[in-house]
Amino acid sequence: MPSVSAGRVPLRHSLVTRLLVSSVVIALAAISATAWLAATTTTRAINYEQGGAAADQRAVYEALVGYAATHHDWSGAAAMVHSRAAKLGRRITLTTDDHKIILDSQAGPALRNTRPSAVVDPLHVDLDLTGGTEHIDERATGPYTVPAEDRYVLSEVARNALTCFNKMGYDGVVETSKTGRPSVVLTTVRAEAERPLTRSVTESCGLELDSLVSPAEKKALQTLSTLTASCLGLGDRSSQLRMTPTFEAYLGESAVVRTAHEKIKVTPPSLLKPAGPVGVVQGCVEAGRRTQLRPYVAPRALLFVTAPGTGRTTLSLSGGSIGRIVAVTGAVLLATVAATVLIGRRLVRPLRNLAEAAELHTPAPVSTRDEIGRLARALNDSAKRRERAEAQRRTMVNDVAHELRTPLSNIRTWLEAAQDDLAPTDAQLLALLHEEALLLQHIIDDLGDLAAADAGILRIDLRPTDLRDVLTHVVDSHRGNAFAAGVRLELTVAGDPVVRADQARLRQVIGNLISNAIRHTPPGGSVTVDANGPTISVRDTGTGIGPTDLPKIFDRFWRADESRSRVTGGSGLGLAIARHLTEAHGGTIEVESEPGRGTLFTIRLPGFDARTSADRAHGGLVERGQRLASGQTGPPGPTEVEPGGQSPV
């Protein structure tokens, strides 16, 4: 890369000299006439515009969130978007996360490099914009909507509950939620109230209403209980989880809800045990609700509220403010326009070219020998370094997020199992956790070398490795995740195969394949790991991969289902790393798959023959002795790296 010259520019070529002479005359006249008016008027106008823009964005956001909460797509929102845009005098655009336009109030520049005003997702509400406390919009009712035929029964029960409270000395009203479910809201306590308002008093009058649900609600609550129990890792106690219509989770044998046609006894929640810590349970409940509500709401979208005809969210001055500034400065500008045109065009032309090059992200033209020329060369060098550093940063962040997830999940799973007494806290568990911690450290150390891996300088530690031990360790570390996902994980090893491999990297390869198989296998399916000699296979009964996607499966950052988030779909690096590390061992990795019939990954590693290795070592010593006996002192030819040595890739 060429270096930027640091030599001194001759005074006659100095841009400073020319700018100083040209600008002093114009600046003295213009600044004295416009400084005060421009400062006061602009400040006042910007403050007004900032308040208006924030209010506009908040109003647009709330309207779009309300639409998304009550519709499963954006197909019917065009009229609302155009109406809002016309009323506000701004351009309103909705795009996907990869900036594909969903709706646009008017044509304009691309918004790829523009920061969105907000993210419209009724299941992840922006509380800073709404000022509320619930992350899930209450208008997103989904399967919890009470059918019309059940609302009459619930309303009658609500009125009876209010009557009960009135008799006990409490006044209140019946309110109906967005789902159509009524509830009693107490407003005042009369002096003649029989006893303080406690939970037992509330349940004595309101238990029938709080426990009565429609069949649709009961089915939705049962599904939510299953999702919450899986998130909490309750295991055998999953069937004891009870969910109330207000989305509170308890553990117990008795039911907490019933339909109007069921003649069963319900238990007040105060007699049941909470399902766990409030924060943890609430997080799992919200995650389950999002899973249930996602098919009923519009997809997540990026919201851009920009000035008409531009892709920028910057503020603009009002017409009156601009008029006052123009009126005062017009005379000064007319007097200096001739000098500005003659001198300014020559001085500004290289700067304009430089600015255009910066906006278009193209190399800046170097056409002068002054400071602008030096600046152009410096900007070109800086842009190249910035792009290279940014690419390395993005790659490192993505690699870290993906590679550390699996061992951390394994550690967490076993620790939670030990906390719940599902796994004994013995030496075997401690050894397993210690191994996972060592693997984490190994991954962290190796992530710094991923960039060098593409250049072919990654090093691995090849040693004779008992394949059965490696596979047993990896499978055991993933059993917790498989159990939580409802997937059967099995291991079959023929004989006692030994291969030349880096144990930590081989565990990383197999672990990536197993975690990938578990993630794509529905509950009730199975993942099978087989080893026959140096050949390892990982087979699942999951969703499979289409023939058009198979050639791309080992590409970095590629996922068959682009709609999945990183949390559920991974970053797309696992299979790419698996292929790279397999090839680093001198092996190959292949994939066979068919949609609906699962996927098979096959790894073939070079085998290890202890006798052959010893023969090679003995042959090398004999060959060296023969060279010395014959007087040869030159360097030996290429030799095999002994087991345990460092082999460059």
Side-chain angles (χ1 to χ4, degrees), residues 288-573:
R289 290 179 61 197
R290 290 190 179 99
T291 300
Q292 285 184 292
L293 296 174
R294 179 56 66 187
Y296 298 90
V297 301
R300 159 192 166 107
L302 303 183
L303 170 64
F304 298 86
V305 181
T306 57
T310 71
R312 300 182 180 180
T313 56
T314 54
L315 302 175
S316 59
L317 297 178
S318 64
S321 299
I322 296 176
R324 286 190 295 272
I325 294 175
V326 171
V328 175
T329 60
V332 177
L333 293 177
L334 289 176
T336 58
V337 66
T340 302
V341 171
L342 294 176
I343 302 174
R345 288 181 63 182
R346 182 176 180 87
L347 295 179
V348 174
R349 185 184 298 114
L351 290 175
R352 182 180 300 143
N353 294 337
L354 195 60
E356 292 177 353
E359 291 177 353
L360 298 175
H361 301 285
T362 58
V366 182
S367 58
T368 61
R369 294 177 293 172
D370 56 14
E371 292 88 347
I372 295 179
R374 295 177 59 195
L375 177 60
R377 289 189 290 270
L379 286 177
N380 290 339
D381 294 341
S382 177
K384 293 178 181 178
R385 290 193 297 270
R386 183 177 64 252
E387 291 175 359
R388 184 166 55 251
E390 180 65 13
Q392 293 174 348
R393 183 193 66 81
R394 287 196 301 267
T395 300
M396 178 61 68
V397 170
N398 289 331
D399 288 350
V400 168
H402 182 278
E403 291 304 305
L404 298 187
R405 182 182 298 115
T406 299
L408 284 175
S409 297
N410 293 336
I411 293 176
R412 177 182 175 184
T413 298
W414 284 109
L415 288 176
E416 290 178 349
Q419 289 177 339
D420 294 338
D421 295 329
L422 299 178
T425 307
D426 53 15
Q428 181 180 1
L429 177 61
L430 294 177
L432 181 61
L433 294 177
H434 182 258
E435 285 293 327
E436 291 295 331
L438 292 178
L439 178 58
L440 270 176
Q441 182 63 51
H442 191 82
I443 293 174
I444 292 173
D445 293 339
D446 286 347
L447 282 173
D449 297 331
L450 279 180
D454 292 333
I457 58 175
L458 179 67
R459 307 181 73 86
I460 61 174
D461 187 8
L462 296 177
R463 298 177 182 271
T465 301
D466 188 334
L467 193 54
R468 177 185 292 274
D469 290 344
V470 172
L471 295 180
T472 300
H473 173 80
V474 176
V475 169
D476 287 345
S477 66
H478 284 77
R479 290 196 184 279
N481 289 338
F483 178 79
V487 176
R488 186 173 69 258
L489 181 58
E490 299 176 347
L491 171 64
T492 302
V493 180
D496 295 303
V498 177
V499 296
R500 295 183 71 245
D502 185 320
Q503 291 190 24
R505 292 249 168 85
L506 185 56
R507 288 199 302 268
Q508 185 179 356
V509 172
I510 306 302
N512 282 349
L513 296 181
I514 294 177
S515 62
N516 188 69
I518 293 174
R519 186 166 57 245
H520 293 87
T521 300
S526 65
V527 175
T528 305
V529 182
D530 292 321
N532 189 353
T535 300
I536 308 167
S537 65
V538 178
R539 181 188 300 273
D540 65 66
T541 60
T543 55
I545 305 166
T548 57
D549 293 335
L550 273 179
K552 300 178 290 185
I553 193 170
F554 291 108
D555 293 345
R556 281 190 175 194
F557 307 111
W558 181 88
R559 298 191 299 272
D561 184 2
E562 294 293 342
S563 65
R564 288 178 310 182
S565 65
R566 182 174 299 278
V567 175
T568 59
S571 67
L573 277 174

Side-chain angles (χ1 to χ4, degrees), residues 584-614:
H585 284 78
T588 60
I589 181 170
E590 301 172 353
V591 59
E592 300 175 16
S593 185
E594 185 175 349
R597 303 188 65 178
T599 303
L600 170 64
F601 286 90
T602 303
I603 298 175
R604 294 181 174 87
L605 298 174
F608 175 74
D609 190 331
R611 183 184 62 182
T612 302
S613 178

Side-chain angles (χ1 to χ4, degrees), residues 569-588:
S571 67
L573 277 174
L575 295 181
I577 292 177
R579 181 179 66 173
H580 185 83
L581 293 179
T582 301
E583 293 175 350
H585 284 78
T588 60

Side-chain angles (χ1 to χ4, degrees), residues 79-97:
M80 180 180 66
V81 169
H82 285 82
S83 174
R84 290 276 178 174
K87 181 179 178 181
L88 301 177
R90 296 185 181 273
R91 177 188 176 192
I92 300 177
T93 309
L94 285 177
T95 73
T96 62
D97 287 335

